[in-house]
Amino acid sequence: MPFPPSPRARSGPRRRSLLAAAPAALALTGCTGGDSGGPAGDGPSAADRAARARASRDSEALVEHYDAVIAARPGLAGRLRPLREEVVRHAQAFGGDRKASPSVSPSVSASVSPSAASSASPSPSATVPGNDKDALAGLAAAEKELADRRAKALGGAPGELARLLASVAAAGAAHVYLLTKGNA
């Protein structure tokens, strides 16, 4: 006799599958700043270098967003630091030189306003929301927007860059889950 279906149907992927898939995707593709997958001796094209620089800047802006939330909402620091460090590694994989240690002072704050949530770059003049839930929602919105943009950029990206974009977009999607539903 088959078991009846669960009365509570889940939507979306389960946390365990996301947590298992994201590191596996990163391990398979490798977060490296290596070549673009072209023939030996051919360096990355100008378009490839520009795409990598843009992706690195986007990740660095997201790190600044994390820094601002951590500075304004210190109670979230333990939950956010591992995600922030991963975003730092993403910036480095794209060729950025951002260091893993926080570079924000407690007096600095960044935005998570509705307009800033749609861009990966926070505005240094606005403030972080006054409660943890809204601060996490703003970070999740920034992560989602950036992951979606990277997923859309896959079509025109050459080999290694496409793999790196896919890997980082998958990690960003896992971050969204952890920020909204997960217990990081």
Side-chain angles (χ1 to χ4, degrees):
M1 172 156 118
F3 291 107
S6 171
R8 186 179 77 161
R10 293 184 179 216
S11 64
R14 287 185 164 61
R15 179 173 51 164
R16 286 185 183 166
S17 63
L18 280 173
L19 293 175
L26 290 172
L28 289 174
T29 60
C31 275
T32 64
D35 70 4
S36 63
D42 289 352
S45 69
D48 184 38
R49 286 190 303 273
R52 283 178 180 274
R54 183 173 43 256
S56 178
R57 282 191 308 271
D58 289 345
S59 289
E60 288 172 355
L62 190 56
V63 169
E64 291 173 10
H65 196 148
Y66 272 95
D67 287 344
V69 172
I70 289 169
R73 312 292 308 157
L76 294 174
R79 180 176 181 177
L80 297 179
R81 277 201 180 97
L83 301 176
R84 179 202 178 275
E85 290 169 6
E86 192 168 313
V87 176
V88 168
R89 286 190 295 274
H90 297 162
Q92 292 168 341
F94 287 117
D97 59 357
R98 176 161 284 274
K99 303 296 181 224
S101 62
S103 61
V104 69
S105 69
S107 63
V108 174
S109 63
S111 78
V112 189
S113 66
S115 63
S118 65
S119 82
S121 329
S123 164
S125 62
T127 60
V128 172
N131 64 58
D132 290 355
K133 183 179 178 182
D134 290 344
L136 291 172
L139 275 173
E143 284 269 17
K144 181 177 181 351
E145 189 274 332
L146 186 54
D148 290 347
R149 251 191 306 142
R150 286 178 171 160
K152 287 178 186 171
L154 289 174
E160 180 64 23
L161 179 58
R163 288 186 290 275
L164 183 56
L165 285 168
S167 171
V168 174
H175 289 186
V176 170
Y177 178 81
L178 292 171
L179 289 166
T180 58
K181 296 177 180 93
N183 294 322

